[in-house]
Amino acid sequence: MSEAAGAIPRDARIFVAGHRGMVGSAIVRALQAAGHTGLLLRTRSELDLIDRAAVRAFLEREKPQYVFLAAARVGGILANDTYRADFIHDNLAIELNVIGESHRAGVERLLFLGSSCIYPKLAPQPMKEEHLLTGVLEPTNQPYAIAKIAGIEMCDAYQRQYGCDFRAAMPTNLYGPGDNYDLKTSHVIPALIRKFHEAKTAKAANVTVWGTGIPRREFLHVDDLAAACVLLMAVPRQAWDARVGRPFVNIGTGTDLTIRALTELIGQVVGYEGQVVFDTSKPDGTPRKQLDVSVQYALGWKPRITLDTGLRATYAWYQTTVNQA
């Protein structure tokens, strides 16, 4: 990305929507580390992104030049399948309000954060950007995926109709500090870390994991994603059009592993020595989700944090911040 990158002025007014979430907080850390001083940060109690009037008033008053749209309602298979109406409603509302009102307020550039679940359940592997909307989605997270696809389309529509410099990044599965460890709503890595830690503490003989362990997944540390997002935001429009050629770009590692292998790795990191039981009556989700990252690499960016290193740091964060055990 070095060749195509421009620069975000360090005193630019930058609104990070969702700055307390895992992704938003990582973007804030990256911006602060780069010396940016004009960050605009609001908690949900200070600014409800589902309230369009509130979003409009905030953007008119604060006049941000750049917007990172990292706010979203997120969760794992159980949460997505249980709270289907909430997931599509809340995510669509956030996107409609922030993207639409950013256009109205004259925001110079906006980066929307999507998800790799936008791709068809049986998409060719690895998944390229052009595979979007070429097949049926995974049923368990379809409402969330449709909302994220709508966000991409909104960015593209505003760019085509009004010339807005709105673009999107589609990260692979994420993990790292700030993650959600509630077993009813969490993703696979935090769920496994918590399960193994509690089993180790209780000296439990076994741990039950959903599914067969056969599906393959790709994982990216959230601090790597944040670094990519800051660089993507800085790419000038002409360079974006020439090198990306579409409204969004995949962000990932380009490698994956089975859930069984991930489970074994997390068990080693946590130090759990009991038995793992796979509950095959539970859903697996999409068989495989590996991103094609050739566009990302052509822009000159690649991740730096290995999965083993990232998991060890994440478990340490869990022990000191979440569990304190």
Side-chain angles (χ1 to χ4, degrees):
M1 204 168 294
S2 56
E3 294 180 22
I8 305 173
R10 291 187 177 179
D11 61 349
R13 298 177 67 77
I14 304 172
F15 174 40
V16 181
H19 78 283
R20 283 192 166 180
M22 179 173 67
V23 174
S25 60
I27 291 173
V28 169
R29 289 194 299 272
L31 290 168
Q32 290 175 334
H36 291 281
T37 58
L39 302 189
L40 302 171
L41 309 175
R42 297 292 186 276
T43 64
R44 184 179 302 175
S45 62
E46 294 170 327
L47 176 61
D48 183 358
L49 298 178
I50 295 178
D51 183 342
R52 185 151 194 155
V55 173
R56 175 175 294 185
F58 167 77
L59 293 175
E60 285 181 344
R61 181 177 64 252
E62 300 297 340
K63 302 188 186 315
Q65 298 159 271
Y66 299 84
V67 172
F68 288 90
L69 181 42
R73 181 165 189 153
V74 299
I77 290 178
L78 178 60
N80 271 276
D81 203 26
T82 303
Y83 306 108
R84 300 173 73 85
D86 295 336
F87 269 73
I88 193 167
H89 174 275
D90 291 357
N91 285 298
L92 282 175
I94 290 168
E95 294 159 15
L96 285 166
N97 295 343
V98 176
I99 296 172
E101 294 303 323
S102 288
H103 158 63
R104 189 175 185 276
V107 168
E108 293 180 19
R109 192 172 294 166
L110 178 146
L111 182 69
F112 168 66
L113 272 295
S115 167
S116 59
C117 73
I118 63 169
Y119 289 109
K121 178 176 181 176
L122 300 178
Q125 301 292 321
M127 299 179 291
K128 298 182 178 181
E129 287 86 352
E130 57 261 36
H131 292 154
L132 180 65
L133 297 177
T134 60
V136 177
L137 298 167
E138 160 59 36
T140 56
N141 62 15
Q142 182 169 292
Y144 176 75
I146 288 173
K148 287 297 183 180
I149 292 170
I152 298 170
E153 291 299 314
M154 282 192 70
C155 289
D156 187 43
Y158 275 94
Q159 195 278 325
R160 289 171 180 264
Q161 184 172 344
Y162 296 110
C164 298
D165 193 352
F166 295 174
R167 69 264 308 252
M170 294 302 113
T172 189
N173 301 288
L174 301 171
Y175 71 99
D179 212 339
N180 167 31
Y181 287 85
D182 183 333
L183 293 180
K184 293 182 179 180
T185 57
S186 62
H187 288 105
V188 61
I189 284 181
L192 288 174
I193 286 176
R194 178 174 172 179
K195 282 187 174 184
F196 280 128
H197 178 82
E198 292 180 351
K200 182 180 74 169
T201 302
K203 295 182 170 55
N206 57 67
V207 168
T208 300
V209 178
W210 274 31
T212 64
I214 295 173
R216 302 184 69 88
R217 292 291 183 269
E218 174 184 9
F219 297 96
L220 179 71
H221 193 281
V222 71
D223 285 339
D224 270 339
L225 171 65
C229 287
V230 173
L231 289 169
L232 282 176
M233 182 70 93
V235 176
R237 187 73 222 185
Q238 185 175 6
W240 180 279
D241 290 341
R243 294 168 181 263
V244 179
R246 61 183 64 249
F248 71 99
V249 59
N250 289 338
I251 301 296
T253 64
T255 59
D256 64 3
L257 76 168
T258 65
I259 294 298
R260 184 178 292 273
L262 174 70
T263 299
E264 294 172 355
L265 180 56
I266 293 177
Q268 294 169 7
V269 167
V270 174
Y272 175 70
E273 298 179 350
Q275 182 181 6
V276 176
V277 177
F278 286 90
D279 183 355
T280 58
S281 70
K282 301 299 184 182
D284 273 335
T286 303
R288 190 178 188 188
K289 288 203 309 180
Q290 182 185 353
L291 294 181
D292 182 295
V293 293
S294 56
V295 176
Q296 162 196 306
Y297 273 62
L299 287 168
W301 184 85
K302 61 182 179 180
R304 297 181 178 180
I305 303 171
T306 66
L307 183 58
D308 182 75
T309 298
L311 287 175
R312 293 184 185 281
T314 300
Y315 180 50
W317 183 88
Y318 171 79
Q319 290 179 287
T320 58
T321 306
V322 179
N323 190 268
Q324 297 183 347

